[in-house]
Structure formats: structure tokens, C-alpha cells
Amino acid sequence: MSNDTTTDTDRRMLEALICPRSHETLRYDAAAQELISEGAGLAYPIRNGIPVMLVDEARVLDS
């Protein structure tokens, strides 16, 4: 088991999600608890272990 708040299985499930805007694979950022969409320039939050996959809830990435 890893020291992160998610298990390896949870990490694989998170990495299988795609961005609702760009339809690209997301990168999991364990430190920030976000799923990053490089293509859309957005970071989707993970709250209480649940990814919030709403564009309106995503943070715009710094350029």
C-alpha cells in the first residue's frame, strides 16, 4: 500500500478517467489531489476521494 491517500487500485481507476472537455487521458497529481488535463488546461479536484469531473468545478492551470 502506498503512503498516498489512494491505493494503487484507486490510482489506476483515476488514471483511466478522461477529461470531459478534451476527451484526453488525465494525469493524477497525488500531492494536489487533482486530475490534470494538459489538453484542456484544467485541473479537476478530488474531494473526499471522489473525482469531481465537472468543467465548472475545475481549476484553470497556470500557463
Side-chain angles (χ1 to χ4, degrees):
M1 181 162 300
S2 79
N3 291 334
D4 296 336
T5 57
T6 60
T7 65
D8 290 335
T9 301
D10 291 338
R11 181 184 309 265
R12 284 194 300 270
M13 285 190 290
L14 290 174
E15 291 172 349
L17 294 172
I18 61 166
C19 174
R21 176 170 283 169
S22 69
H23 305 287
E24 295 176 357
T25 303
L26 300 166
R27 177 177 53 85
Y28 173 54
D29 182 342
Q33 285 296 290
E34 294 179 323
L35 294 169
I36 308 297
S37 173
E38 300 291 343
L42 298 172
Y44 297 93
I46 299 172
R47 296 185 185 133
N48 299 318
I50 301 169
V52 180
M53 302 302 298
L54 302 170
V55 174
D56 291 345
E57 294 289 322
R59 176 178 66 81
V60 176
L61 297 174
D62 296 329
S63 308

